[in-house]
């Protein structure tokens, strides 16, 4: 019986110490137990982009299991014109080349297990829309209520 009490006391001290340490770094024991690292969605599809148009995507929207913030982000093989804005959790920029790309994203969260490294993503960058102009059309003199017919070719 004396050993059981001693073990219970030791276990209680261990739990209390762990809770204090986790509270000091800002991670609750419940969050740590619940989250075993951050994970990306499958498949990982980034929103489409358009050449020459500003692009921005919140990287947190790509997570299937958000883990515990804060996050550290990195990417390799991003298309020209795009980059990671890690402090703001974004990929942003203005793409300069159309095509299908497979950048690899990495995220690390605050848990010890919290890395999802070089996770491939899909990104389609569309060409810019075609430019068009509207030519001046002489409608002639008309009166209110007269029918109007215009040939648009």
């Amino acid at each position: 019986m004396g050993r059981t009490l001693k073990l219970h006391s030791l276990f209680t001290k261990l739990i209390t110490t762990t809770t204090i340490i986790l509270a000091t770094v800002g991670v609750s024991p419940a969050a740590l137990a619940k989250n075993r690292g951050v994970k990306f969605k499958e498949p990982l599809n980034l929103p489409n982009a358009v050449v020459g148009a500003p692009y921005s995507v919140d990287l947190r929207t790509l997570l299937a299991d958000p883990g515990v913030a804060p996050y550290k982000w990195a990417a390799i093989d991003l298309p020209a014109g795009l980059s990671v804005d890690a402090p703001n959790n974004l990929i942003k920029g203005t793409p300069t080349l159309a095509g299908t790309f497979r950048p690899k994203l990495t995220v690390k969260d605050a848990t010890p297990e919290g890395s999802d490294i070089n996770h491939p993503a899909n990104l389609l960058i569309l060409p810019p829309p075609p430019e068009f102009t509207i030519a001046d059309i002489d409608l002639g003199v008309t009166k209110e209520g007269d029918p109007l017919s215009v040939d648009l070719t």
Side-chain angles (χ1 to χ4, degrees), residues 13-92:
K13 286 181 183 176
L14 177 63
I15 294 298
T16 303
T17 303
T18 303
T19 302
I20 291 169
I21 290 169
L22 291 172
T24 301
V25 297
V27 179
S28 73
L32 188 61
K34 180 180 155 195
N35 296 298
R36 297 289 179 212
V38 63
K39 298 290 178 216
F40 284 108
K41 292 178 180 176
E42 290 288 344
L44 184 53
N45 295 316
L46 296 169
N48 291 349
V50 177
V51 170
Y55 180 82
S56 179
V57 62
D58 186 332
L59 291 163
R60 295 170 293 190
T61 65
L62 305 176
L63 299 176
D65 182 349
V68 179
Y71 304 103
K72 294 179 183 175
W73 301 98
I76 56 175
D77 299 330
L78 278 175
L82 298 180
S83 62
V84 173
D85 177 357
N88 294 308
N89 303 298
L90 298 173
I91 291 177
K92 67 179 192 175

Side-chain angles (χ1 to χ4, degrees), residues 109-128:
D109 74 346
T111 63
E113 304 85 1
S115 284
D116 200 340
I117 298 174
N118 293 337
H119 194 95
N122 301 302
L123 174 59
L124 176 62
I125 300 179
L126 302 167

